[in-house]
Amino acid sequence: KNMPKAVLCRKETISASHRLHNPELTDDENREIYGKCNNPNGHGHNYEIEVLLKGEVDAKTGMVINLSLLKEYMNQAIVEPLDHKNLDLDVPELKGIVTTTENLAIFIWHSLQKVMHDPSLLFRVVIHETPKNTVIYEGK
């Protein structure tokens, strides 16, 4: 029989710095495209990251997943590798990738898939880069 489905969300906040720069473009092109975010010394954000899981509510536990498990997944995939890091210099998997919030959301999605016991529950990654700028990635 069909079990009811639910979406659950957990938030984490990390602080990280980066520079938006594509080495395949000229310095002038980089400045034109990325503006002040191309500052040679970089800049930082307090990223608010939401991870949403969607799945059946287990009849025995009443849960889609134990939130303490989701907390641990997010710690492994997001907090440990990214918090208080320079995304361009300290995260080997982001080497050579322009560290836009879009690319960060894709990186987090794939990192979560690697640590989750059931990655099919992963529904959406939302990153609030600033109070006005948000990126949503759903694995497609």
Side-chain angles (χ1 to χ4, degrees):
K1 90 181 192 183
N2 280 350
M3 298 298 297
K5 289 193 177 195
V7 175
L8 57 101
C9 176
R10 181 171 169 82
K11 296 180 185 181
E12 286 288 352
T13 301
I14 62 164
S15 297
S17 64
H18 69 144
R19 178 189 186 204
L20 295 184
H21 184 83
N22 183 337
E24 295 176 20
L25 302 173
T26 66
D27 285 347
D28 285 342
E29 289 172 318
N30 273 294
R31 276 192 297 273
E32 187 179 317
I33 293 168
Y34 301 118
K36 66 182 181 181
C37 296
N38 184 242
N39 171 21
N41 293 320
H43 64 281
H45 297 282
N46 292 318
Y47 294 97
E48 188 174 287
I49 301 166
E50 301 174 21
V51 173
L52 289 85
L53 304 184
K54 182 179 184 178
E56 292 182 348
V57 177
D58 183 274
K60 286 183 191 144
T61 66
M63 297 185 281
V64 172
I65 188 175
N66 189 314
L67 280 172
S68 63
L69 194 54
L70 178 55
K71 178 182 179 181
E72 181 54 34
Y73 292 154
M74 291 177 72
N75 197 46
Q76 289 177 40
I78 301 168
V79 179
E80 287 174 12
L82 302 176
D83 192 31
H84 287 81
K85 300 284 172 59
N86 180 308
L87 301 178
D88 304 308
L89 303 176
D90 299 329
V91 185
E93 300 89 342
L94 293 174
K95 266 271 182 272
I97 294 170
V98 181
T99 51
T100 60
T101 306
E102 293 90 334
N103 281 333
L104 187 59
I106 294 165
F107 167 78
I108 288 171
W109 179 278
H110 291 299
S111 297
L112 284 163
Q113 284 190 315
K114 288 176 193 166
V115 299
M116 291 178 66
H117 293 118
D118 184 0
S120 69
L121 293 175
L122 195 51
F123 177 58
R124 181 178 291 150
V125 170
V126 180
I127 303 178
H128 303 279
E129 180 187 59
T130 70
K132 294 182 180 182
N133 298 337
T134 300
V135 168
I136 300 168
Y137 183 67
E138 296 182 335
K140 298 177 180 88

